[in-house]
Amino acid sequence: MAYRKLGKTALELTEITFGAWAIGGWMWGGNEGNDAIEAIKVAIDNGITSIDTAPIYGQGESELLVGEAIKGISRDKIQIATKFGMRWDLAKGELVGPSEKNDGTKINIYKYAGKESVIEECENSLKRLGTDYIDLYQIHWADPTTPIEETYEAVLRLKEQGKIREAGVCNYDVAQVAKADKVCPLASIQEPYSILRKDIEEDLVPYVIDNEIGILAYSPLQRGILAGKYQPGHVFNAGDTRAGSKYYQDDYLLKVNSFLDAIKPIAAGKNVTIAQVILRWTLSQPGITIALAGARNAQQALDNASVMELALSDDELSEIDTQFAKVEIPA
C-alpha cells in the first residue's frame, strides 16, 4: 500500500483514493449499486483503503453504497473522506440551479454552509456511512451567503467532538483557503487537476506547498477522456453531463486521442493502460498528494490499484509532457 500524509497532519490516504462520484449515478447517467459495492470492496482488498464521497453524489446514494461496502471492515483499516455544503433538501443559500435525481425527480441544488447545516449534514453522513467518525471533512463548493469563519467554526467543533479527524476544502481559491485555515487548520484542498486542466499550478499549488497543505486532485482522467476509450460521435446515456462537456466534443476528442496515441509506447512498454500512465503522471506533479480515481466495476478498481505499483522515469514523464505540447490542445 502506498500512503501519503496530508500536509502537517497525521492523516494518511492511499495515493490513489477511490473517487465515489460516479457510483452515485447523478450526472453520470445512472448507476448499478451491486457493481459499485463490488468495486469498492475490490479496491480495498487491493490496497486502495481511502474513499472520497459526498452527500450530493446521487443525493445520498454514493454514501449509502460506501457504507454498505465497508460493513464488517475494521474502521481503522480504511479512511473515509466526505463533504458538505450542497443541499438538495433545503432551499437556503445560493441557488446553483435545477437538477434531477437518478429516478427523474426534479430538485434544486443550493450551496449552503451555515453553522447549523454543517452540523446536520455531518450527522446525516455518519448515518449513511454507518460510522461514528469521518477522517476528512470538506466543504464541497464555496457558499457566498455564509462567512467562511462561521462555516469552519462549525467544522472545528466537529473536530473537537471527535466526529471528524481532519478538515479540508474543495474548489476554494487561495484567499478562501487562507480564511478557512486560520479558523480550523486544513489538511487538504481538493481541486480539479489533469494534464488537460492545470490552472491551479499558477497560484494555488505554490501556496499549498509553502503552507504544507495537501492536494487531492479530482478528475485526473478528465471524467474518463484520458483513458483513451472514447471516439468522436460517442453517445452517452441520458443524464450523463459529459455529453455537453468541451472535452467530449469531436474536435477536442480527436486532439486528445492524438496525444494518447503518442504515449501508447510508454504504456505498452510497461504492460499497463494509458489511464494508469496518466494517473502516475498526475501523482508525479509538484504539490499533488492524492489522485482520486473512480471505478464503477471491479476491473476498473483493480486497474486503479495497480497504479500504486507503477513507476515512471524522469525521461518518461518528460516524454509525456513533450507529446502533450506537440498536440497543442487548448486550455
Side-chain angles (χ1 to χ4, degrees):
M1 299 180 191
Y3 288 94
R4 291 186 176 184
K5 189 165 68 74
L6 294 187
K8 293 172 282 192
T9 74
L11 177 59
E12 294 182 323
L13 303 184
T14 45
E15 60 179 11
I16 295 291
T17 287
F18 191 105
W21 178 14
I23 67 169
W26 180 65
M27 299 180 72
W28 288 82
N31 68 335
E32 173 47 61
N34 290 333
D35 287 349
I37 291 170
E38 183 184 12
I40 295 169
K41 289 182 175 180
V42 167
I44 293 171
D45 288 345
N46 287 274
I48 298 178
T49 63
S50 306
I51 305 167
D52 177 82
T53 182
I56 196 63
Y57 299 159
Q59 293 70 58
E61 177 72 5
S62 177
E63 286 188 328
L64 286 169
L65 289 170
V66 171
E68 183 63 30
I70 65 175
K71 280 183 178 177
I73 300 175
S74 179
R75 184 63 180 84
D76 63 351
K77 302 298 183 185
I78 53 176
Q79 304 80 43
I80 303 297
T82 193
K83 308 177 187 76
F84 64 91
M86 294 193 77
R87 301 295 297 259
W88 67 95
D89 53 347
L90 178 68
K92 201 168 184 179
E94 181 184 61
L95 176 64
V96 178
S99 188
E100 291 185 0
K101 291 185 176 183
N102 292 335
D103 63 6
T105 302
K106 305 292 185 183
I107 54 174
N108 285 319
I109 308 294
Y110 293 83
K111 295 177 183 175
Y112 183 58
K115 186 174 183 178
E116 80 290 346
S117 185
V118 176
I119 303 299
E120 178 186 14
E121 285 205 75
C122 183
E123 294 298 334
N124 291 339
S125 288
L126 289 170
K127 290 175 184 176
R128 284 190 290 260
L129 292 163
T131 185
D132 57 1
Y133 71 93
I134 293 161
D135 294 280
L136 180 64
Y137 203 44
Q138 313 153 96
I139 190 168
H140 207 146
W141 287 90
D143 165 23
T145 72
T146 304
I148 289 173
E149 291 82 359
E150 175 185 333
T151 297
Y152 274 83
E153 283 172 5
V155 175
L156 182 60
R157 177 188 292 183
L158 291 170
K159 185 175 180 180
E160 291 169 347
Q161 293 173 342
K163 293 182 178 180
I164 69 170
R165 288 181 61 192
E166 298 295 344
V169 298
C170 304
N171 304 299
Y172 262 30
D173 61 26
V174 168
Q176 292 166 329
V177 172
K179 281 186 178 181
D181 193 41
K182 283 183 180 179
V183 179
C184 181
L186 299 177
S188 62
I189 177 168
Q190 185 174 150
E191 291 284 335
Y193 181 80
S194 74
I195 199 167
L196 300 175
R197 188 175 180 180
K198 298 185 282 187
D199 49 297
I200 66 170
E201 292 180 349
E202 184 174 345
D203 56 359
L204 190 60
V205 169
Y207 178 86
V208 298
I209 290 175
D210 287 346
N211 289 274
E212 296 182 75
I213 298 172
I215 295 179
L216 279 64
Y218 75 81
S219 293
L221 296 179
Q222 208 57 59
R223 296 194 68 188
I225 190 175
L226 288 168
K229 298 178 181 179
Y230 292 93
Q231 300 300 322
H234 182 85
V235 178
F236 289 96
N237 292 337
D240 194 325
T241 56
R242 287 179 293 178
S245 166
K246 73 173 186 179
Y247 301 105
Y248 281 93
Q249 304 312 303
D250 287 356
D251 289 348
Y252 199 102
L253 191 54
L254 284 170
K255 289 185 176 182
V256 171
N257 284 345
S258 177
F259 158 64
L260 297 177
D261 285 343
I263 64 171
K264 278 182 178 178
I266 295 175
K270 295 179 177 294
N271 196 30
V272 297
T273 66
I274 291 176
Q276 290 169 313
V277 168
I278 292 294
L279 286 172
R280 176 47 64 186
W281 175 92
T282 304
L283 288 165
S284 302
Q285 302 311 298
I288 303 300
T289 313
I290 304 297
L292 302 181
R296 301 180 80 172
N297 57 57
Q299 186 57 56
Q300 291 174 353
L302 283 170
D303 289 346
N304 291 342
S306 297
V307 174
M308 295 190 290
E309 300 175 356
L310 174 63
L312 294 176
S313 68
D314 289 343
D315 287 344
E316 289 165 333
L317 291 167
S318 179
E319 175 66 8
I320 292 169
D321 291 332
T322 298
Q323 294 302 330
F324 180 77
K326 283 181 179 179
V327 179
E328 296 183 351
I329 299 172

